[in-house]
Amino acid sequence: VIPLGQHPHPLHTVAHVSDTHLLAGGRGLHGAATEEHLEAALRQLARLDPVPEAIVFTGDLADLGEIDAYERLRSIVDPAIERMGAIPVWVMGNHDERDAFARVLLGADGVSGAQHRAYEVGDLRIIALDSSVPGYHHGAIDADQLEWLAAELSTPAPHGTLLALHHPPIPSPLTPAMELLELHDQHLLEEVVRGTDVRAVLAGHLHYSTHSLFAGVPVSVAAATCYTMNLSRADRLLSGSDAHQAVDVVHVYADRVVHTVVPLGDPPELFSMTTAEAARIEAMTVGERIDAFSRKDSPSATPEG
Ligand SMILES: [Fe+2]
Ligand SMILES: [Fe+2]
């Protein structure tokens, strides 16, 4: 479909998936069918036009860091991304274990240090930072990694950079308990990021969608695919629920980045416009489109507007 409004097509389409929390043997987590949710997410992403060039997985990929959980993750993700022609960007979370993560997902021989790296998606750079702290659930970026990041960002990418890390460097006012497990010393990362070509920060960890600002850069937290937080339970500091799982789609334009939450599942349809109508609309002049779809007494005025 050609652009029907004022804005050109985006330069890049990137998917943002978080907190899959897979377990060895395909076990669910707290009763949530984590593998089925991930499969649904990938099926829905494969329907996008265009499909994503990259899928960024912002951590907590395996709930206990088991080798088998990462292998199961790859067996689900690999065929899907191959069909899409996308690249996976793997990011460490607090539930992940560096050695198993690196062996299975990055093909490394075994490691102990932070698992950060930069990916090129055409002219767009995606940086995966490792905010995990071995043995703990809170986050931190160590001095070596900050130094590496500063060096990497010293050369801007033509279309800018998306910075992906698990622990979001923002407050979480609806889940104060999660602030016990937040990214420590956020000012150190802020000093490195401010004024660079970083155009968006992608994060996870909270298990619900939220948006804020960090170092002058928009932050987008994707909800989890495993389970999400009920944010309106007055009698709970935290309440995980098997509902409202979602992924994000990130569209990178020359002058902005647009983040869109895509809930998992196909609920019953109430009304629709089919893609078959696109060719007819494309053939119309701007005036004909206003007359057909915007004029209130037009028979085909868009019902969802
Ligand atoms: Fe998580
Ligand atoms: Fe987490």
Side-chain angles (χ1 to χ4, degrees):
V1 182
I2 62 170
L4 300 179
Q6 299 166 64
H7 299 284
H9 285 310
L11 300 171
H12 300 279
T13 302
V14 173
H16 177 191
V17 175
S18 205
D19 294 82
T20 52
H21 282 266
L22 299 194
L23 284 163
R27 291 169 0 256
L29 180 68
H30 307 306
T34 54
E35 292 192 0
E36 285 171 32
H37 295 166
L38 174 60
E39 285 162 356
L42 294 167
R43 256 195 323 273
Q44 287 177 242
L45 291 172
R47 294 188 216 148
L48 298 177
D49 180 20
V51 292
E53 293 167 87
I55 304 183
V56 183
F57 294 87
T58 46
D60 284 357
L61 308 175
D63 189 60
L64 298 173
E66 300 153 309
I67 287 275
D68 184 59
Y70 292 112
E71 285 173 345
R72 297 182 72 89
L73 176 70
R74 283 204 64 165
S75 72
I76 294 170
V77 171
D78 284 1
I81 59 169
E82 200 169 305
R83 276 196 297 276
M84 291 184 228
I87 63 157
V89 175
W90 305 113
V91 181
M92 277 284 301
N94 53 294
H95 280 264
D96 293 301
E97 293 294 337
R98 283 175 175 170
D99 188 74
F101 173 99
R103 282 178 194 275
V104 181
L105 301 181
L106 306 179
D109 283 337
V111 296
S112 54
Q115 296 301 299
H116 51 274
R117 59 171 67 185
Y119 297 79
E120 277 179 18
V121 181
D123 284 337
L124 177 70
R125 172 167 54 192
I126 302 178
I127 291 180
L129 275 192
D130 182 350
S131 60
S132 73
V133 179
Y136 293 87
H137 283 302
H138 71 266
I141 310 290
D142 64 30
D144 287 351
Q145 208 176 171
L146 288 172
E147 198 175 308
W148 171 85
L149 179 63
E152 184 67 31
L153 293 175
S154 65
T155 310
H159 291 170
T161 296
L162 303 180
L163 181 63
L165 79 168
H166 181 65
H167 297 78
I170 63 171
S172 54
L174 292 183
T175 51
M178 288 303 287
E179 297 188 347
L180 299 169
L181 307 180
E182 69 180 3
L183 182 73
H184 288 194
D185 296 321
Q186 294 175 15
H187 63 282
L188 299 176
L189 179 62
E190 183 175 352
E191 284 164 17
V192 175
V193 170
R194 191 174 288 282
T196 64
D197 76 339
V198 175
R199 302 184 56 197
V201 174
L202 309 183
H205 189 51
L206 296 179
H207 291 225
Y208 59 92
S209 301
T210 185
H211 302 86
S212 186
L213 206 63
F214 174 74
V217 179
V219 177
S220 177
V221 178
T225 60
C226 63
Y227 66 84
T228 68
M229 295 298 178
N230 184 334
L231 300 172
S232 50
R233 287 285 306 250
D235 55 341
R236 297 279 192 275
L237 280 179
L238 268 184
S239 172
S241 58
D242 193 6
H244 307 146
Q245 290 88 350
V247 295
D248 283 10
V249 181
V250 184
H251 288 110
V252 178
Y253 290 79
D255 61 346
R256 73 194 77 194
V257 179
V258 177
H259 305 264
T260 308
V261 178
V262 178
L264 297 195
D266 282 310
E269 186 178 75
L270 300 180
F271 57 84
S272 69
M273 257 175 98
T274 71
T275 49
E277 293 179 67
R280 184 172 68 88
I281 299 168
E282 284 172 356
M284 291 176 168
T285 65
V286 171
E288 286 168 340
R289 290 176 192 174
I290 290 172
D291 198 51
F293 296 101
S294 174
R295 193 162 54 83
K296 284 185 173 176
D297 61 356
S298 160
S300 58
T302 53
E304 72 273 27

